Amino acid sequence: MSIETLAIQAAVGLVNAMLLFLVASGLSLIFGVSRIINFAHGSFYMLGAYAAFTLAQFAPTHPGWLLLAVALSALAVAVVGALVETSFLRRVYASDELFQLLATFAVVLAVSDLVKIVWGSANKSLPLPATYRQALPILGQPFPVYYFLLLVLGVVVMAGLWWLVYRTRWGVQVRACTDDRDMANAIGINQKWLTTSVFLLGTGLAGLGGVFAAVMGTITPVMDSDMLVEAFVVVVVGGLGSLLGSFVAALIVGELKAMAILVFPSASMVIVFLLMAVILIVRPWGLFGEAEE
Amino acid sequence: MTAAVPGVPAVRSWVRLPVAAAFFAALGGVLLLPEVLSVYQIYLALEVLIFGLAATSLNLLVGYAGMVSFGHAAYFGAASYCAALAMKYAGVSMWTALLVAPLGSTVLAFVYGIFCVRLSRIYFAMLTLAFAQLTYTVAFQWYGVTGGDTGLLGVMPADAIAEPQTYFRFTALVVAACIAVLYAVVRSPFGLTLRSIQQNRVRVELLGVNPYLYQLGAFVIAGFFAGVAGALYAFEKGAVFPDYLSLGHSLKFILMTLLGGFTVFLGPLLGALVFELLNSVLTNYTQYWQLPLAVCLAAVILFAPSGLSGLFLRKR
């Protein structure tokens, strides 16, 4: 295979890695602070895609709508996520972790049906303005403009996320809670508000990922479970609760999948889960996580 | 009865008379069901029994050993595939396939289990998920052998039990035998040790017990019985698909277990019954059965936190 093919697959892998990171980082943050394995995370991702689809019905002609749709959809999903947390999930924090699991399943099932009721079971796609569908020649291969737009947007969001988590007071509290919940509680960090705000951010990131996925491909009522499983892979490989870990793992998984399609097309999915299993066997806490006792 | 040693409670006899009587009465009732049920209802009841067995085997891990597996469908589906592959490539009879299949899932559970039981809680759950997804993708992508997502067709039961009524009775007998053995397992010293590992691992270790061996044992036993269920399911459907190994199936088993109540031995079976009934009743009225199910789950979580069986049995 030629260098060009490799480069193109690498670029495709990069965009997918960014999408994976957006979703997985939200999952990881939520797990870090609330200790909940949020099976509903894929559902929020799916909601983001459908929210963008609905917004696209209103202003599809102007090239600027895409940016607006991205921002509004992610925001809408974030609000829904925070509402689900305050009205429902909050009640099970004190319960056995099995009930937390059951609670997030309930959200998965409910969202799955609500999506079908509101948007129908047929696949949908976003009507992209022609400006974004134009192809730029990179290494002699056509690349649609929206790929670059998503890459730039993604990098901006990642930078913002990094600033939030590593450079603000809120970020210090989030990391403190992730490290040691009881101690954070003891020194007076308001867990209730912190958890809600982390859900707001985490589900917003999932929603953002959903919008990106909607721009790149089709919107389906079953897109939640595929992404959920991949987000689990990224979070586990990178280390639960580690933002840097999720970033590196998303790159690894995104590129591994893109390259595996070239080398062993029939085993591309197998390799990803093999990586997850090997990491869990050799280093269960992940590449950048910290070993528990 | 073992002789009473001071300070050591005697292990109670494994099976008590009322339990045995209730068991055979229930089995008798179930065997009479085909007389009154329609063919559609017989298939529904078959799924209750099969998924009930799978969920009960999962509960050996969840309820008794405190190990939440996110990938129990791997052993269920692996047995389905073993049965189908044995019939297709080795040309064996249905009876042989039915015996071979759970052995296949047992071996798989042993191999995966060696790695899984070393991990605690969430990492255990994640590794079981990874192995299950691995198995699923192999079945999905290894077109030449497994037929990919078109699956393997023509996995028919032997003529003697090909009728829905007779297949139901056969399944009921097999499931009853498995449930009885699982009951004996959880009440045996092995089962009690499992529970004590969950309650106080360090103390059990100090008593000279190797917890890994017990947990691996539980994992393998659960894999075997999930395999029996998976093989029975393959012959019920007459076909095998990668979906049997999917996360969706694993989650369904967890759902049934928690819905019925993991603290009670028969909870998962009750959960399977409620789940399937709810599912079939709702799908008569609406294609949107997941939403009402979600509402039921939310109600269970908020108002009956020990599962449905907890509503009837209140612990003092």
Side-chain angles (χ1 to χ4, degrees), chain B residues 22 38 41 52 54 61 66 73 76 132 147 175 188-190 243 264 273 290 293-294:
Chain B
S38 69
Q41 289 166 333
L61 301 179
F76 179 87
V175 169
S188 69
F190 173 81
D243 174 58
V264 179
L273 178 69
Q290 299 183 84
L293 180 65

Side-chain angles (χ1 to χ4, degrees), chain B residues 207-239:
Chain B
L207 289 171
V209 170
N210 182 346
Y212 296 117
L213 285 183
Y214 279 82
Q215 291 179 326
L216 183 60
F219 202 82
V220 170
I221 293 170
F224 173 81
F225 287 107
V228 175
L232 289 169
Y233 191 62
F235 289 106
E236 185 218 316
K237 292 287 175 192

Side-chain angles (χ1 to χ4, degrees), chain A residues 81-154:
Chain A
L83 281 177
V84 169
E85 195 272 334
T86 47
S87 62
F88 181 53
L89 293 180
R90 174 177 288 178
R91 292 161 188 265
V92 297
Y93 290 156
S95 318
D96 191 282
E97 56 187 4
L98 282 168
F99 282 92
Q100 304 174 351
L101 205 64
L102 202 57
T104 64
F105 280 178
V107 178
V108 172
L109 294 170
V111 170
S112 168
D113 259 5
L114 284 173
V115 159
K116 283 182 211 142
I117 290 170
V118 176
W119 285 284
S121 305
N123 292 357
K124 306 251 186 270
S125 58
L126 274 191
L128 279 186
T131 333
Y132 294 124
R133 265 182 285 130
Q134 275 171 359
L136 293 182
I138 305 283
L139 289 168
Q141 297 288 329
F143 257 92
V145 171
Y146 67 77
Y147 257 58
F148 298 98
L149 186 73
L150 293 188
L151 267 182
V152 172
L153 273 180

Side-chain angles (χ1 to χ4, degrees), chain B residues 94-95 98 157-168 170-171 235:
Chain B
M94 177 246 184
W95 305 106
L98 210 52
D159 291 339
I161 54 168
E163 291 294 312
Q165 288 83 0
T166 45
Y167 191 67
F168 175 82
F170 173 73
T171 302
F235 289 106

Side-chain angles (χ1 to χ4, degrees), chain A residues 156-190:
Chain A
V156 170
V157 171
M158 282 187 235
L161 188 62
W162 183 84
W163 174 77
L164 259 181
V165 173
Y166 290 101
R167 286 290 178 272
T168 64
R169 187 180 163 74
W170 180 83
V172 171
Q173 295 186 344
V174 166
R175 283 180 290 132
C177 264
T178 305
D179 274 353
D180 191 335
R181 243 162 103 79
D182 295 337
M183 186 56 82
N185 211 4
I187 59 172
I189 293 178
N190 185 343

Side-chain angles (χ1 to χ4, degrees), chain A residues 16-53:
Chain A
N16 281 327
M18 200 190 58
L19 173 67
L20 272 177
F21 171 74
L22 289 179
V23 181
S25 61
L27 186 65
S28 186
L29 280 172
I30 289 175
F31 176 82
V33 170
S34 70
R35 295 284 142 181
I36 279 198
I37 309 170
N38 186 16
F39 271 83
H41 205 66
S43 309
F44 293 113
Y45 160 82
M46 178 163 74
L47 279 179
Y50 277 100
F53 175 78

Side-chain angles (χ1 to χ4, degrees), chain A residues 239-252:
Chain A
L240 283 162
S242 162
L243 211 53
L244 177 66
S246 292
F247 178 72
V248 174
L251 271 180
I252 295 175

